[in-house]
Amino acid sequence: MENGKRASWSGQLAFVIAAAASAIGLGNLWRFPYLAAQYGGGIFIAIYLVLVVTLGFTLMVTEIAVGRKTQQAPLTAYSLLHRKWGFVGFLGTIIPVLITPYYCVIGGWVLYYLKAYAQIAFTGVDVLGEGAANSGAFFSSFISAPFAPFGYGLVFILACAAVIVLGVKNGIEKSNMIMMPVLFVMAIAISLYVVFLPGSGDGLKYYLVPNLDCVTGPDGRFSIALLGKTILGAMGQMFYSLSLAMGIMITYGSYMKKTDSIEKCVRRIEVFDTLIALIAGLMIIPVVYMFAVKTGTDVHDAMNAGPGLMFITLPKVFATLGAVGPWIGMGFFLLVAFAAATSAISLFEACVASACDMLKIERKAATFFTTALIMFLSVFSALGYGAWGHVKLHVFPNDGGMQFLDFFDFITNSVLMPVVAIATCIFVGWVMGPRAVIDECEAGGCKMKAKGVYTVMVKYLAPALMVALLISEVCRALGIGGWKI
Ligand code: PFF
């Protein structure tokens, strides 16, 4: 609510940019390149693209339509549609409440690295130490420090809160208009630099050329089980990357005008998100490949996912680039900071909008309460590698235990998000009926082209695929079946 009226985007483009800004995040930068490299390059990319335009399309259209139809954030949207299905909205609201704090803590890590690279670039003082050769020690001493991870996370949280409190048009829209173009320009510039580096060819081949090893068993024969794993890996990534099942698309859809075409917007969001994921691969894989060959490291090991790739391996790689290294490092971490900030803002907004709609309070009050809650919850993830490093949380009795950040990540990404997606498909496909979503898509007078695909997907295929994803994620956490991701 803004001045008693529901906020709205200034136009279709503003909505597409906001939703793309939410989708483009750490998932595109530190997860997609790694998965593509591990799962046979071009094969993974092809499977990913098919999933984006079918399953991703279905889930995103559904969420945006639910938001626009009800004009509510997730917490109240489902109960408005059906009294008994309000629990889906409740679960869908818990997800951003749990993710935002740890995502902001990681945002704080990015700010710390951005500051370090700016220092090296402008003053020449090698704060990373020995040309980043010991970036592993630099990273672990930072995340295990008593206060710094919380302090940087706090700066990140407050920056997001400052944008949110300004509202949809003046805050979210305007900040996206600055951050997104910078992100695109940086990504294109860095990837061009990498692609034209002498010797980048082998790394590019490794990334883009389909490698059948990922679907071939030890006996050299095609393995259906391995193909299944590749498909599930691509599906998990697509789900994560498109910001699905975390209340965001419902919230952003609730600010959309009836005259705008949901179908066209979703296609554009998919293009932007996938483009940045592919560009991220061009930025990262060839240099990491060259680095691995040069140092005699196993390429698969060098290409590890998540924090290790971004905060330990890449600094080592930047250090080998000579005088431009610190500038590339600074540009890269600025890009990552913007990608993380626009995604964190969308997660934050899902929480704030839910509080506004449920409690019927103004944005300022809701932002204040939400910020306090997120600050409090961020303490656990910020200190989980340091002062509280000894605390291990268990989901199952014999799962080995997880740190706070990994625990929140597992509960949301591996369990709650697939559960919410399954429940949403059952609700829309079998209780409310796909027709309601199709009608919402056609409300502005434009015909929905993919009606048939949508109906089949939402009723049958999407719930089945999501159940498979949920099972595989739980197996992965328990170490059953040799899952890699
Ligand atoms: N889609 C964004 C990304 O790819 O990083 C945002 C996001 C995804 C946030 C998954 C949180 C999350 F668990």
Side-chain angles (χ1 to χ4, degrees):
M1 287 283 188
E2 273 162 42
N3 308 320
K5 240 177 84 214
R6 184 146 206 99
S8 68
W9 304 110
S10 55
Q12 185 161 304
L13 181 68
F15 167 70
V16 170
I17 293 181
S22 165
I24 297 168
L26 296 169
N28 302 58
L29 302 171
W30 82 19
R31 214 161 172 265
F32 182 86
Y34 154 82
L35 290 176
Q38 301 278 319
Y39 279 112
I43 292 194
F44 178 87
I45 296 174
I47 294 174
Y48 182 82
L49 291 178
V50 172
L51 285 169
V52 165
V53 298
T54 51
L55 182 61
F57 170 81
T58 304
L59 296 172
M60 195 181 267
V61 163
T62 304
E63 291 193 22
I64 295 174
V66 165
R68 192 171 74 173
K69 189 175 166 65
T70 57
Q71 299 279 294
Q72 296 287 306
L75 189 54
T76 38
Y78 285 91
S79 48
L80 197 72
L81 290 171
H82 196 295
R83 211 169 26 91
K84 287 197 181 141
W85 286 78
F87 76 93
V88 185
F90 177 72
L91 290 179
T93 310
I94 293 183
I95 295 169
V97 171
L98 293 179
I99 294 180
T100 316
Y102 83 74
Y103 207 77
C104 287
V105 167
I106 301 174
W109 299 354
V110 177
L111 290 185
Y112 183 69
Y113 270 69
L114 177 60
K115 194 187 106 198
Y117 272 104
Q119 243 171 315
I120 306 174
F122 288 110
T123 66
V125 180
D126 183 10
V127 285
L128 280 168
E130 294 162 40
N134 64 349
S135 50
F138 181 79
F139 181 57
S140 48
S141 73
F142 168 62
I143 61 167
S144 59
F147 181 74
F150 175 67
Y152 280 88
L154 191 62
V155 171
F156 199 86
I157 292 174
L158 293 176
C160 293
V163 170
I164 296 285
V165 81
L166 290 174
V168 173
K169 277 201 190 87
N170 288 330
I172 304 177
E173 242 184 78
K174 285 203 176 136
S175 67
N176 283 338
M177 292 300 174
I178 301 169
M179 289 193 271
M180 291 312 282
V182 175
L183 188 154
F184 264 86
V185 171
M186 288 295 206
I188 292 173
I190 299 178
S191 60
L192 283 178
Y193 172 80
V194 170
V195 168
F196 287 107
L197 269 179
S200 65
D202 286 342
L204 282 173
K205 263 192 229 144
Y206 179 70
Y207 174 38
L208 296 172
V209 175
N211 175 0
L212 290 174
D213 286 356
C214 74
V215 287
T216 317
D219 55 359
R221 289 227 208 119
F222 170 75
S223 152
I224 193 95
L226 289 175
L227 177 67
K229 283 186 184 179
T230 309
I231 295 175
L232 284 166
M235 206 155 79
Q237 171 60 15
M238 179 227 68
F239 199 56
Y240 185 97
S241 187
L242 289 176
S243 294
L244 297 169
M246 38 183 121
I248 296 172
M249 293 301 158
I250 298 181
T251 309
Y252 276 14
S254 75
Y255 305 140
M256 200 180 175
K257 293 199 177 93
K258 287 276 180 200
T259 44
D260 293 341
S261 161
I262 295 180
E263 191 178 20
K264 271 194 203 135
C265 288
V266 170
R267 293 291 182 214
R268 287 178 192 152
I269 298 162
E270 287 169 350
V271 169
F272 280 131
D273 186 57
T274 309
L275 208 64
I276 287 291
L278 291 171
I279 293 177
L282 292 179
M283 275 194 305
I284 294 171
I285 295 179
V287 276
V288 174
Y289 187 94
M290 278 193 273
F291 172 79
V293 172
K294 205 172 177 179
T295 54
T297 322
D298 180 72
V299 179
H300 265 57
D301 290 347
M303 219 71 79
N304 56 357
L309 175 64
M310 190 161 285
F311 298 107
I312 301 172
T313 311
L314 280 176
K316 287 185 188 162
V317 174
F318 296 147
T320 63
L321 299 177
V324 289
W327 295 98
I328 297 272
M330 192 176 92
F332 178 77
F333 279 105
L334 182 68
L335 177 168
V336 182
F338 280 179
T342 49
S343 297
I345 287 168
S346 69
L347 283 158
F348 215 122
E349 175 65 15
C351 308
V352 169
S354 285
C356 286
D357 291 345
M358 178 80 187
L359 307 170
K360 308 250 178 311
I361 52 176
E362 284 290 324
R363 173 171 288 273
K364 259 194 204 138
T367 310
F368 181 80
F369 289 124
T370 311
T371 309
L373 178 65
I374 289 172
M375 270 161 54
F376 169 71
L377 290 174
S378 75
V379 176
F380 296 92
S381 296
L383 303 185
Y385 291 105
W388 293 342
H390 55 283
V391 183
K392 290 259 191 279
L393 300 149
H394 294 267
V395 185
F396 307 102
N398 295 323
D399 63 5
M402 292 177 223
Q403 233 107 23
F404 281 106
L405 198 154
D406 301 314
F407 176 76
F408 288 133
D409 186 61
F410 173 75
I411 290 291
T412 51
N413 280 284
S414 303
V415 183
L416 286 176
M417 280 158 58
V419 167
V420 166
I422 295 165
T424 302
C425 291
I426 295 175
F427 174 62
V428 171
W430 299 95
V431 181
M432 190 171 80
R435 191 70 238 173
V437 166
I438 295 170
D439 285 347
E440 184 57 39
C441 288
E442 297 187 333
C446 36
K447 281 264 158 273
M448 184 176 180
K449 283 194 200 134
K451 265 184 243 174
V453 176
Y454 176 79
T455 308
V456 175
M457 286 298 301
V458 83
K459 286 183 92 152
Y460 308 102
L461 273 172
L465 289 170
M466 286 294 127
V467 168
L469 181 69
L470 177 64
I471 295 171
S472 73
E473 288 286 333
V474 174
C475 289
R476 178 174 63 90
L478 289 170
I480 300 171
W483 294 96
K484 267 194 281 185
I485 7 146

